[in-house]
Amino acid sequence: MKKDYDIVGFSFFTYEVPKIITMVKEAKKEGVGELWAGNYGSLTYGMEDYFDKIFKGYAERQVAEELGVEIDRIKHPMIIDYVGTPWGLKGFTLGVVFTNRGCTQTCRFCQTPVFCSEPYQLPLSSIEDVIRNYKEAGVEEIVIEDENFGMWKKHTDKVIDLFEKYDINWHPMTRVDILDGNLDDWYERGFSGTLIGIESLQQDTLDSIDKKIDVEKTLELLRRLEEKNAFVIGYYMVGFEEDTIPVIKKSISYLTEFSIDLLQICVITPFPKTPLWHEISEKYGIIEDDWGKWDTKHLVWDHPNISQEEMEKVLSWAFDKAYSPLKFLKSPLKFYKRRANRMGYHKIPIKIINDLITANTGINIP
Ligand code: SF4
């Protein structure tokens, strides 16, 4: 590292803390003036010992203020991602868009209400600029990575108007209740898939974490999404207080009967500063002091029915169960079936070739 940096800032998640601490120590040795921290990892207990300043939330304006700079308007950057294929090729290109930040809900396990305590909408002009840039670059599929897309109806409608204006397909991260109430309308307006929190198939568990969703409604919504050939990333959590190994196996087996393209199986983790942290640490105790294992793939607290080793084994079983070799063929089929409904089946082979060329070479074929 060069010795003439005045400030070095680190943006990190909880599981990255050990690596960040190593980097911080190196930076201090090299005589860096100030060390700043941001992103969800900066909520981790003890970070004040390593950093001169900690920024909570998205904090562009706070950082600018510290640097003595005035921000007029924040420009939404283009963030390009790809859907992969089992053969190592990129399947097609995705653009990432944020339309709001934070969340008005208060699920007890979630750090978002602590991280961004005052949710807000991004300006429509910034959103339109980035959508236009994606369109010009040949990107026709957008992933909306809001914590909770759709929580402000009027703003949401105006954002969807923009997707329609530029003829873009979109896949929002949203909640079951919001999607359930809007699916038919959104589908007519370019909705093509979703990232959604299923969290648990036990109603008591959902109620205890204040998720405010209904298991039956969730399952019905999954069926409706399948009928519409929608791409689904479902987040599911295991290792709740009342979970046992047989209960986890039963629910994962049941979920595999639904058309979920990517089942993200996570171990419930009482992240720092959440209500769940306080409940679990008082009632059972935290047993994992290596922050590197706070990646939602390890059990970090003293569970009444499951040991850390048992959790590792059941998680590995769950991933094998959820990802059969054929699964990776079904998702592109869904995607191109949906495309065919819009553009006609005869155009699909050429569309597949164009998508592959654009994603793998960056050449945009109009
Ligand atoms: S709805 Fe999602 S983002 Fe909002 S508090 Fe609950 S888990 Fe967090």
Side-chain angles (χ1 to χ4, degrees), residues 100-107 112-113 116-121 147-152 175 177-178 210 212:
N100 63 54
R101 278 158 159 192
C103 179
T104 47
Q105 297 289 329
T106 50
C107 305
T112 295
C116 180
S117 51
E118 289 174 24
Y120 58 95
Q121 302 162 0
E147 275 97 354
N148 184 4
F149 178 76
M151 59 185 167
W152 284 297
R175 282 174 52 90
D177 47 0
I178 291 180
D210 209 15
K212 301 190 196 95

Side-chain angles (χ1 to χ4, degrees), residues 216-247:
E216 285 313 313
K217 254 197 187 152
T218 305
L219 299 177
E220 184 50 33
L221 179 64
L222 291 173
R223 289 182 197 106
R224 289 171 67 204
L225 287 164
E226 183 173 1
E227 278 166 20
K228 295 187 184 311
N229 278 313
F231 185 84
V232 177
I233 298 182
Y235 296 91
Y236 191 74
M237 295 196 283
V238 297
F240 285 101
E241 215 173 326
E242 45 290 298
D243 267 350
T244 59
I245 299 291
V247 166

Side-chain angles (χ1 to χ4, degrees), residues 82-92 323-333 356 360:
Y82 301 95
V83 170
T85 67
W87 311 284
L89 283 173
K90 293 166 185 162
F92 56 86
Y323 291 93
S324 68
L326 279 182
K327 192 167 185 70
F328 294 104
L329 290 175
K330 282 187 190 161
S331 302
L333 274 181
L356 285 168
N360 291 282

Side-chain angles (χ1 to χ4, degrees), residues 149-261:
F149 178 76
M151 59 185 167
W152 284 297
K153 190 154 179 38
K154 278 190 193 155
H155 187 255
T156 302
D157 272 342
K158 287 180 187 154
V159 171
I160 299 174
D161 285 346
L162 294 174
F163 290 131
E164 285 187 292
K165 177 174 167 187
Y166 291 93
D167 192 21
I168 291 272
N169 294 325
W170 45 283
H171 307 65
M173 171 121 73
T174 186
R175 282 174 52 90
V176 166
D177 47 0
I178 291 180
L179 184 54
D180 187 52
N182 290 288
L183 181 60
D184 295 332
D185 173 48
W186 287 4
Y187 180 73
E188 294 302 319
R189 303 169 71 191
F191 168 92
S192 290
T194 187
L195 299 83
I196 201 153
I198 301 164
E199 322 298 16
S200 174
L201 292 183
Q202 320 299 323
Q203 191 61 52
D204 289 352
T205 301
L206 290 173
D207 296 343
S208 73
I209 55 171
D210 209 15
K211 185 72 197 180
K212 301 190 196 95
I213 57 174
D214 180 274
V215 174
E216 285 313 313
K217 254 197 187 152
T218 305
L219 299 177
E220 184 50 33
L221 179 64
L222 291 173
R223 289 182 197 106
R224 289 171 67 204
L225 287 164
E226 183 173 1
E227 278 166 20
K228 295 187 184 311
N229 278 313
F231 185 84
V232 177
I233 298 182
Y235 296 91
Y236 191 74
M237 295 196 283
V238 297
F240 285 101
E241 215 173 326
E242 45 290 298
D243 267 350
T244 59
I245 299 291
V247 166
I248 293 174
K249 288 192 169 180
K250 195 174 163 198
S251 51
I252 297 290
S253 299
Y254 185 56
L255 275 177
T256 58
E257 291 171 20
F258 292 84
S259 182
I260 302 170
D261 299 274

